[in-house]
Amino acid sequence: MTQEMKGLLLEDRWAPVTSEMGFLAAGAEQAAQAFATWQRGLATSHGFTIEVLSVSGPLEQALSHLLPLSGGETQRRLFIPTRSAWTAYVTNQWTGTDAASPMRVMARQLSIRCLRVVAVPHTLRGDQGRYGAVMLSVYGPEQPGKISNTVRALAAANDGGRWVFEQSGEPFPFEQVEQYQARRVRDRFSFEMLKDYLRHLGLSPFEEDFYLPPGSCAWLVQKTGPFAPGYKEYTLEEARRERVL
């Protein structure tokens, strides 16, 4: 792990699953049930069974219910309670959680705020390693007259060998806006800045004890039925090896 990203969740052992996460301003069971209801209503869910199951902690034990990871069809999503008003969201897709679209939809469905959080160390050396990225997107309920429900988005990412910085929406009062002019593009939105912004929003998502407070359980939304063409299963180790982690 690079020095600039020391302190990733579980020392990045569960990457790529936890390299991107969603967060919903709702209870874990409420979020899981609402997500399952949405999924059951999709045409692509016909012929499948979608059930919601409670799973126990600690965190890595809860995450293990996502295994095996899958390619071609996301079979399992996990909603994890935290020591805050937020619920975490991760999936068993072998390439890592894709939180953007689900969080946009759930923000509308439940009239709440949802987040997409991305933290990937830049480890690329030659053709080995990962392109780095630090991203934060905040979604809100539908707003009259607006197509997108993105409230605020920030990203510093290596796009195929070149660092880019992007932002949209109005800055929050706690943002370090002067840093967005930094000479080095990757410094315009750093991992430390991401953690600071998330603290202001009431989250400490890179700390293991932030998740599954005593007496709580996580909720697994599981889809079963005929596999899609090209479906393949991976162990976490295989996915990490394929992703060159």
Side-chain angles (χ1 to χ4, degrees):
M1 190 186 306
T2 60
Q3 185 66 36
E4 66 191 33
M5 278 205 184
K6 287 287 186 182
L8 286 168
L9 180 62
L10 298 170
E11 299 180 342
D12 218 24
R13 290 191 300 274
W14 276 84
V17 173
T18 56
S19 297
E20 177 172 334
M21 302 179 73
F23 291 91
L24 308 90
E29 184 177 9
Q30 176 196 9
Q33 294 289 357
F35 186 91
T37 298
W38 167 47
Q39 290 289 297
R40 291 182 186 117
L42 299 176
T44 53
S45 290
H46 295 171
F48 290 87
T49 298
I50 297 175
E51 55 185 341
V52 181
L53 308 169
S54 64
V55 299
S56 58
L59 180 58
E60 290 196 82
Q61 180 179 322
L63 288 170
S64 70
H65 288 274
L66 292 172
L67 300 174
L69 304 181
S70 64
E73 182 79 45
T74 302
Q75 297 288 324
R76 288 174 287 280
R77 281 100 167 173
L78 191 63
F79 293 80
I80 312 169
T82 70
R83 292 186 287 106
S84 72
W86 296 92
T87 287
Y89 166 89
V90 286
T91 78
N92 83 320
Q93 188 66 21
W94 80 276
T95 52
T97 299
D98 182 358
S101 180
M103 293 304 100
R104 286 193 189 99
V105 172
M106 295 305 289
R108 292 188 179 109
Q109 295 269 3
L110 295 176
S111 294
I112 59 173
R113 275 200 171 173
C114 293
L115 309 178
R116 175 194 183 219
V117 175
V118 179
V120 180
H122 187 69
T123 60
L124 196 69
R125 297 292 183 274
D127 59 354
Q128 300 290 306
R130 290 183 285 175
Y131 290 108
V134 177
M135 302 179 179
L136 172 63
S137 297
V138 181
Y139 310 107
E142 200 90 50
Q143 299 180 54
K146 291 189 176 182
I147 297 174
S148 171
N149 65 330
T150 302
V151 176
R152 180 69 169 141
L154 291 156
N158 191 295
D159 184 12
R162 182 176 66 92
W163 282 90
V164 296
F165 171 74
E166 297 176 345
Q167 62 171 318
S168 65
E170 291 296 318
F172 292 109
F174 54 75
E175 291 187 30
Q176 304 168 32
V177 293
E178 68 285 350
Q179 192 63 26
Y180 304 156
Q181 306 302 318
R183 184 186 63 80
R184 199 170 75 145
V185 175
R186 66 191 300 177
D187 292 336
R188 295 177 188 176
F189 188 44
S190 67
F191 181 53
E192 290 303 316
M193 291 169 68
L194 173 64
K195 290 193 291 184
D196 181 65
Y197 289 11
L198 291 169
R199 279 193 292 269
H200 279 92
L201 292 168
L203 295 98
S204 301
F206 305 105
E207 298 175 12
E208 183 178 355
D209 66 359
F210 177 63
Y211 301 91
L212 287 158
S216 69
C217 64
W219 296 88
L220 184 72
V221 177
Q222 182 167 276
K223 183 178 180 181
T224 56
F227 293 139
Y231 178 84
K232 184 178 178 181
E233 293 185 341
Y234 299 80
T235 66
L236 178 62
E237 292 72 25
E238 287 171 335
R240 289 173 62 84
R241 189 162 57 246
E242 290 281 346
R243 305 297 288 176
V244 199
L245 271 65

